[in-house]
Amino acid sequence: MNAICELFGIKYPIVQGGMVWCSGWRLAAAVSNAGGLGLLGAGSMHPETLREHIRKTKEATSNPFGVNLPLMYPQMEEVMQLLVEEGVKIVFTSAGSPKKWTGWLHEHGIKVAHVVSSSQFARKAEEAGVDALVAEGFEAGGHNGREETTTLCLVPAVRRVTQLPLLAAGGIATGEAIYAVQALGADGVQIGSLFALTQESSAHEAFKQRCLQLEEGDTRLLLKKLSPTRLVKNKFRDAVEAAEAAGADEMQLRELLGKGRAKKGMFEGDLDAGELEIGQVASLLKGQPVVTVEEAMHRLLEEYLRAASKGQRDRFL
């Protein structure tokens, strides 16, 4: 049996990324109902909002789901206790060291996967006792690792240093890509951008439509002095690029970013002044309609089976 499916009790080894302002209960439940693993994006939720979304997800699906929790979350102790109180069984951690909380989560019967951007961090996460790893490449949307290693290079590098169940992330929005990273050693995938642009995503419709019109090169990794973030071209990104070109320091960039910039862009739909985060792979979706999660999953599985069949038929050697 597939290691990811066995670990999380799911039908397909496809995990939906827990993206800020996109991953509410409707999206998480839809992905879980379609046979994958839905994740709530705690990074853009206050504790009580997260509690509400956990309860609504439970009402909407009887299948496993989890919570993505950035380890820089300001109310960590409160939200950890909340996860236990609400009976959450799967937590994906990111943006920090999993050493402090993994053991505590295990004591409360919670499985832990951790997002890494290098084989070095993968080794440290395994030493911390995590149950699975997510190797997220440079192509991914939102906040990225400083190493800027592509998924094609990162997945085999991580596989060399660990035998833990491994998910590949970054640049994956097709069944062919799932087939490719499987060949590199991944047991499954974590997909963000594709699900962020579905009907069930809580992102603003204007944001979805903008992302479905992106060309190659319309996203760039910026804000590296703060937290590397992949941004869609707009007036805000132009201001960031100009500031960085002028040598802006961390404080100046933080002032330019301000508060609520991502919410303004992705959740409220301000395409000019908002922070628009999406992966490079969005350009492969150009011109497609905003589909349901069920439709997206069906297409992924069809593409995967077609790629696998072709791979068996058209071998190089």
Side-chain angles (χ1 to χ4, degrees):
M1 185 177 182
N2 178 277
I4 293 297
C5 293
E6 186 174 7
L7 177 64
F8 297 129
I10 56 180
K11 185 176 182 180
Y12 305 118
I14 298 174
V15 177
Q16 161 247 314
M19 305 157 286
V20 295
W21 303 116
C22 299
S23 304
W25 70 269
R26 289 182 180 85
L27 180 58
V31 173
S32 290
N33 282 332
L37 181 70
L39 297 180
L40 295 171
S44 54
M45 298 182 187
H46 295 295
E48 286 309 309
T49 303
L50 176 60
R51 189 188 299 275
E52 177 187 354
H53 278 259
I54 291 171
R55 292 180 177 181
K56 286 184 175 180
T57 307
K58 286 181 180 178
E59 292 173 0
T61 184
S62 58
N63 293 334
F65 71 93
V67 172
N68 176 273
L69 182 61
L71 292 170
M72 61 176 69
Y73 193 93
Q75 297 162 284
M76 187 60 71
E77 289 78 8
E78 181 180 352
V79 80
M80 284 293 185
Q81 191 59 46
L82 182 157
L83 295 176
V84 173
E85 291 171 1
E86 294 300 324
V88 172
K89 297 302 181 185
I90 300 169
V91 170
F92 277 52
T93 55
S94 60
S97 170
K99 187 175 182 179
K100 179 177 180 181
W101 287 105
T102 297
W104 188 89
L105 289 166
H106 282 164
E107 288 173 8
H108 291 85
I110 298 173
K111 294 172 182 175
V112 181
H114 188 67
V115 181
V116 299
S117 56
S118 72
S119 57
Q120 178 185 6
F121 288 146
R123 282 192 294 264
K124 289 183 177 179
E126 183 170 20
E127 290 170 3
V130 303
D131 301 290
L133 294 166
V134 182
E136 184 173 81
F138 168 79
E139 302 95 322
H143 299 283
N144 266 311
R146 297 184 180 278
E147 294 79 11
E148 299 189 17
T149 306
T150 64
T151 304
L152 199 66
C153 295
L154 179 61
V155 171
V158 171
R159 178 45 82 208
R160 284 182 182 180
V161 302
T162 180
Q163 291 304 308
L164 285 176
L166 177 61
L167 292 159
I172 302 167
T174 65
E176 290 89 351
I178 297 174
Y179 183 68
V181 295
Q182 184 183 45
L184 295 175
D187 300 297
V189 295
Q190 177 176 284
I191 294 177
S193 297
L194 175 65
F195 290 129
L197 304 179
T198 58
Q199 291 180 18
E200 292 89 347
S201 164
S202 52
H204 196 281
E205 185 66 20
F207 169 75
K208 297 176 187 179
Q209 294 296 340
R210 174 73 179 101
C211 290
L212 288 169
Q213 296 303 318
L214 294 177
E215 305 279 359
E216 290 179 44
D218 278 349
T219 69
R220 284 193 62 189
L221 197 64
L222 298 167
L223 295 169
K224 297 177 186 179
K225 292 179 182 178
L226 298 178
S227 177
T229 309
R230 183 166 294 284
L231 300 175
V232 174
K233 183 173 178 59
N234 67 351
K235 289 182 179 178
F236 168 67
R237 197 189 85 173
D238 290 344
V240 171
E241 289 182 300
E244 292 187 339
D249 59 22
E250 182 178 339
M251 184 176 298
Q252 290 170 316
L253 289 173
R254 198 174 298 279
E255 184 177 345
L256 176 62
L257 182 62
K259 291 185 178 181
R261 184 76 70 170
K263 180 181 181 182
K264 181 188 291 288
M266 293 184 284
F267 192 68
E268 298 176 353
D270 188 333
L271 301 184
D272 289 327
E275 180 179 342
L276 309 179
E277 303 175 8
I278 202 72
Q280 282 184 331
V281 78
S283 63
L284 292 181
L285 306 174
K286 185 184 177 194
Q288 296 184 11
V290 178
V291 299
T292 66
V293 164
E294 184 178 7
E295 290 170 325
M297 285 285 285
H298 180 73
R299 188 173 68 205
L300 284 173
L301 296 172
E302 278 195 336
E303 290 169 347
Y304 173 83
L305 292 173
R306 188 164 58 245
S309 175
K310 187 176 187 299
Q312 291 296 318
R313 187 174 69 247
D314 300 336
R315 295 183 177 183
F316 291 143
L317 300 175

